[in-house]
Structure formats: structure tokens, C-alpha cells
Amino acid sequence: MKLQTTKMPLIAFFLLITLFSFAQKDFQGKAYYQTKTTMDLDNWGGRQLSEQQKKQIQERMKSFLEKQYILTFTQSESMYKEDEKLEAPGGGGRGFGMMSSFTGGAQYKNIKEKQMLQDQEFFGKQFLVKDSLPELKWEMGTETKQIGQYMCFKATAVKKVDEFDWSNMRRKEKKEDDEKKQDSTDTAEKSDDPMSEIEVPETITVTAWYTPQIPVNNGPGEYWGLPGLILEVSAGRTTMLCSKIVLNPDEKDEIKKPSKGKEVTRAEYNQIVKDKMAEMREMYGGRNRGGGRGR
């Protein structure tokens, strides 16, 4: 009993020290995340490829599907951006030009103001996508697991998927009636709209692991809203896992609210993408119909 009575004040003391350090005005932390998105090649017409060919394609796509990010955070603000020093030369290659346009740049979150700003470049034009922070209805669980030196708790939520979320895009499942209609459709007309063969699910389940040991209401990407830093997220085919945390680094980075680019909402930006894709279909579709197969 004597041991317990002397131990409890010590635990309370260290807890107060921890909470005090996070309450400081100049508090800052950095969390390093490794992200990985899997791609089902069979779903994209890869059933006829050999396993060796699939491995070669996956290796070429690795620099695009596997990235590293840094979340710089305080109690109320954060900046989440790719660790460009680790990006392989050449990026994802020429074939990923359009898909890269769906991937945002640096992302700023302000928890107090519930605001999110994201740098976005599309076909050489700079945009600043401004929206309110998406609020997920987290279901708190009691399941725990250790990530590094931190004890984490599980939480789940259902998230609405953005229509241009490339990581969750998939080919539409064709029904027998649809296949018959497609067989009777002219090949040139079918090629006019490649996006007509693609869909995204309306919602996906998000599983997050957060640690109360770092009592900040933040996490990687758009995720936030739990009583502790989110160290791992699984959403659709993408996983974000924290590999390193530095609290109160000697050299602190200034978290600046982005201001460059044309300010648009997410809905407005998506419409800009749709209009550009329609323009490209018209341009290349008309060229194909006019030129035929010959050169």
C-alpha cells in the first residue's frame, strides 16, 4: 500500500508535466507518415498479364503509390505535405499526368476555425482549394494496439468519397445487359469518354488509431477529431502509418496559411476538372473521328 501511495502522486506529476508541455504557446510537433495505396490490376484489365508483368507495372508505379509525408502541428494548426527529398527522380512517369492532377499539394488545417486549405495544380494552373474541415462521426472503440512507443485506441467512421478520389477509383462492374449494349456501340463513340468506365464508391469505412499520449486533435491528411494524434489510418485501398514523431524540435517550422492560387471550393474545383476533361474529349474525340486509323 505504501508503494502505491508514493507511486500515484508521481504518475499524476508526470501527467501534469506532459499536459503542460502541450499547452505551451510555442508547442510544435512533427509526425512522419508512410502512405501506401494498393491497386488491383485485375480490375483494370490486367487478368491477361503474367505475374512478372504485374510486378514490373507495380514497380514502375511504386513512386506514385508509396509516398512519405510530414505533418507539422501545433494545438490548433497543421501543415501536411509530401517529403519531397525522398521522392524518386522522375516521379510517377509520364503515364500518370492526369492522375497526378487529382493528388493535392500541401494541406493546411486550422482546427479552431475548422478550415482546410490545399494547394492544387491542374494543367499548369495554381488553385487554392478552400473548404470547411470534413467532420466524421467517429465511433470510439476499446481495442488498443502499440504503435512505436505509443498506446493507441481504435476509432471508425464512414466517409463520403470525393468523386475525383483517384485512390478509390475502379472500373464499373458490367452487367449482362450492359455488355450487350456495349457490343452494339460504335468503337469510336466508346472511346470518347474513358471516365464513363470508371466509378468511385459513395462511401468507405475509415479505421483510425489515435494516441491520447499526444493530446492534439489532429492527424494525417484530412483526418482529425479524435482525443489524440492519429498515428494510423486505413481508408479504402490507402494506409497511412506514422513512423516517427518529434515533439518540440529544436528548429521549429512556421506554419503559414497558404495564399497562392485562385481560391475555389472543392465543388468548384471538381467542376473545373470536369470541364477540362470534356474539352479534351472533344479535342481528341473529334480528331479520332475525323482522321480515322490512317496517319
Side-chain angles (χ1 to χ4, degrees), residues 37-55:
T37 299
T38 59
M39 181 165 285
D40 184 1
L41 292 178
D42 289 342
N43 183 256
W44 295 95
R47 290 187 176 88
Q48 298 177 352
L49 298 175
S50 66
E51 289 302 314
Q52 182 63 28
Q53 289 172 320
K54 290 180 182 178
K55 286 181 180 179

Side-chain angles (χ1 to χ4, degrees), residues 223-253:
Y223 300 104
W224 70 289
L226 288 168
L229 182 66
I230 300 172
L231 299 189
E232 182 179 337
V233 175
S234 296
R237 296 195 303 269
T238 299
T239 300
M240 307 172 177
L241 177 62
C242 183
S243 58
K244 177 183 174 183
I245 295 174
V246 179
L247 299 177
N248 280 322
D250 294 333
E251 294 184 12
K252 292 182 171 61
D253 294 337

Side-chain angles (χ1 to χ4, degrees), residues 228-290:
L229 182 66
I230 300 172
L231 299 189
E232 182 179 337
V233 175
S234 296
R237 296 195 303 269
T238 299
T239 300
M240 307 172 177
L241 177 62
C242 183
S243 58
K244 177 183 174 183
I245 295 174
V246 179
L247 299 177
N248 280 322
D250 294 333
E251 294 184 12
K252 292 182 171 61
D253 294 337
E254 184 179 359
I255 299 177
K256 287 185 177 181
K257 185 180 291 189
S259 59
K260 294 181 180 179
K262 181 181 178 182
E263 190 174 302
V264 293
T265 64
R266 175 58 62 180
E268 289 170 340
Y269 176 76
N270 285 352
Q271 189 59 51
I272 290 169
V273 174
K274 288 179 185 177
D275 292 343
K276 185 63 178 180
M277 292 176 71
E279 178 187 323
M280 292 177 66
R281 285 198 303 269
E282 182 67 26
M283 183 187 301
Y284 293 107
R287 189 177 299 173
N288 290 337
R289 286 192 294 271

Side-chain angles (χ1 to χ4, degrees), residues 3-273:
L3 179 63
Q4 290 180 344
T5 54
T6 55
K7 207 172 181 182
M8 287 304 294
L10 282 175
I11 294 174
F13 174 75
F14 284 117
L15 181 60
L16 286 172
I17 291 286
T18 302
L19 292 174
F20 175 75
S21 66
F22 285 99
Q24 296 179 65
K25 289 183 179 180
D26 61 345
F27 164 76
Q28 188 180 106
K30 282 189 175 184
Y32 296 74
Y33 292 86
Q34 295 178 334
T35 71
K36 183 175 182 179
T37 299
T38 59
M39 181 165 285
D40 184 1
L41 292 178
D42 289 342
N43 183 256
W44 295 95
R47 290 187 176 88
Q48 298 177 352
L49 298 175
S50 66
E51 289 302 314
Q52 182 63 28
Q53 289 172 320
K54 290 180 182 178
K55 286 181 180 179
Q56 290 175 348
I57 293 173
Q58 288 171 344
E59 189 61 32
R60 288 180 60 191
M61 298 176 70
K62 188 174 182 180
S63 62
F64 185 76
L65 298 175
E66 298 181 20
K67 292 182 178 292
Q68 301 201 33
Y69 290 83
I70 301 175
L71 176 72
T72 304
F73 60 90
T74 64
Q75 281 288 357
S76 60
E77 295 178 289
S78 68
M79 184 66 75
Y80 184 70
K81 61 182 180 180
E82 186 176 350
D83 189 352
E84 296 175 352
K85 293 180 294 183
L86 299 174
E87 188 174 2
R94 295 180 183 178
F96 304 112
M98 175 63 78
M99 195 179 290
S100 298
S101 298
F102 298 149
T103 306
Q107 187 182 74
Y108 167 87
K109 294 201 299 279
N110 189 308
I111 304 299
K112 285 185 177 179
E113 298 176 4
K114 294 188 177 180
Q115 182 188 70
M116 184 167 68
L117 297 169
Q118 183 164 317
D119 287 332
Q120 187 84 49
E121 187 179 340
F122 184 65
F123 276 84
K125 293 184 178 180
Q126 190 69 35
F127 295 93
L128 182 63
V129 182
K130 180 179 180 180
D131 264 323
S132 57
L133 273 176
E135 295 193 47
L136 297 179
K137 294 181 179 179
W138 294 105
E139 290 188 15
M140 316 289 279
T142 57
E143 189 177 344
T144 63
K145 75 172 180 179
Q146 194 84 7
I147 298 180
Q149 67 186 55
Y150 298 97
M151 178 62 71
C152 297
F153 290 84
K154 183 179 181 180
T156 57
V158 175
K159 168 192 167 184
K160 185 178 179 181
V161 182
D162 183 83
E163 59 184 319
F164 286 116
D165 182 351
W166 68 267
S167 65
N168 285 296
M169 287 182 179
R170 63 193 182 193
R171 290 187 68 182
K172 290 181 180 177
E173 293 185 7
K174 296 177 182 178
K175 299 179 182 178
E176 189 175 343
D177 291 342
D178 294 335
E179 289 179 352
K180 289 179 180 178
K181 290 179 182 178
Q182 190 178 41
D183 290 338
S184 62
T185 305
D186 182 76
T187 305
E189 291 181 1
K190 286 192 291 183
S191 63
D192 280 353
D193 187 6
M195 293 299 290
S196 65
E197 298 294 315
I198 299 172
E199 66 179 0
V200 293
E202 291 186 6
T203 60
I204 56 173
T205 299
V206 178
T207 301
W209 295 89
Y210 67 95
T211 177
Q213 290 174 256
I214 305 178
V216 295
N217 193 359
N218 217 320
E222 66 194 75
Y223 300 104
W224 70 289
L226 288 168
L229 182 66
I230 300 172
L231 299 189
E232 182 179 337
V233 175
S234 296
R237 296 195 303 269
T238 299
T239 300
M240 307 172 177
L241 177 62
C242 183
S243 58
K244 177 183 174 183
I245 295 174
V246 179
L247 299 177
N248 280 322
D250 294 333
E251 294 184 12
K252 292 182 171 61
D253 294 337
E254 184 179 359
I255 299 177
K256 287 185 177 181
K257 185 180 291 189
S259 59
K260 294 181 180 179
K262 181 181 178 182
E263 190 174 302
V264 293
T265 64
R266 175 58 62 180
E268 289 170 340
Y269 176 76
N270 285 352
Q271 189 59 51
I272 290 169
V273 174

